[in-house]
Amino acid sequence: MPPNLTGYYRFVSQENMDNYLRALDINVVLRKLVCLLKPDKEIIHTGDHMVIRTITSLRDYVMDFDLGVQFEEDLGPVDGRKCQTTVSWEGDQLVCEQLGEKRNRGWRHWLEGDQLHL
């Protein structure tokens, strides 16, 4: 059974973020800005429903979704895209797949001890 990710997770560190964002074809200005941010995450996980709030000094970003159900995600504030997003479990990892104008987009969240990794 997948873990319940409910909790507030404080930013600790990031490694290789600029290269990761470059591989996603994020423009240099946005890459530099993202690398300066130290986002916290607040997750509310109730059964098959989740709310993930990414909290930064610039703005918050909220994802509100049901696991395994595709929804339209508006990433306009992030990088100007809209996509069809599905978030589901692969073992103990929460996996997001984004389908749209850019291929191979998404993310993974998983716990190691009490630390959330992305």
Side-chain angles (χ1 to χ4, degrees):
M1 181 154 115
N4 186 308
L5 298 180
T6 295
Y8 191 95
Y9 302 91
R10 296 210 180 274
F11 178 87
V12 175
S13 67
Q14 65 186 8
E15 296 176 23
N16 207 26
M17 181 61 85
D18 188 64
N19 287 333
Y20 170 72
L21 295 171
R22 184 179 293 124
L24 291 175
D25 195 30
I26 303 296
N27 73 60
V28 67
V29 174
L30 187 54
R31 283 198 326 260
K32 298 304 176 194
L33 177 62
V34 168
C35 288
L36 291 173
L37 296 175
K38 309 295 185 224
D40 289 347
K41 295 266 186 182
E42 179 180 39
I43 300 176
I44 300 168
H45 179 181
T46 309
D48 285 338
H49 186 80
M50 295 186 85
V51 177
I52 299 176
R53 192 169 142 229
T54 302
I55 304 157
T56 72
S57 56
L58 218 53
R59 72 170 54 145
D60 294 354
Y61 179 74
V62 178
M63 289 181 71
D64 189 331
F65 59 91
D66 292 317
L67 291 163
V69 178
Q70 189 175 75
F71 63 97
E72 182 175 87
E73 184 177 12
D74 183 358
L75 293 165
V78 179
D79 64 4
R81 297 179 297 124
K82 285 190 179 180
C83 58
Q84 295 300 310
T85 298
T86 305
V87 181
S88 55
W89 289 107
E90 283 184 17
D92 286 345
Q93 293 191 2
L94 191 62
V95 178
C96 172
E97 182 178 6
Q98 298 170 330
L99 303 173
E101 62 192 58
K102 303 240 182 184
R103 295 179 50 115
N104 300 319
R105 293 292 181 101
W107 48 258
R108 291 176 179 266
H109 281 50
W110 68 95
L111 286 174
E112 288 182 15
D114 62 352
Q115 291 189 340
L116 180 71
H117 291 260
L118 170 62

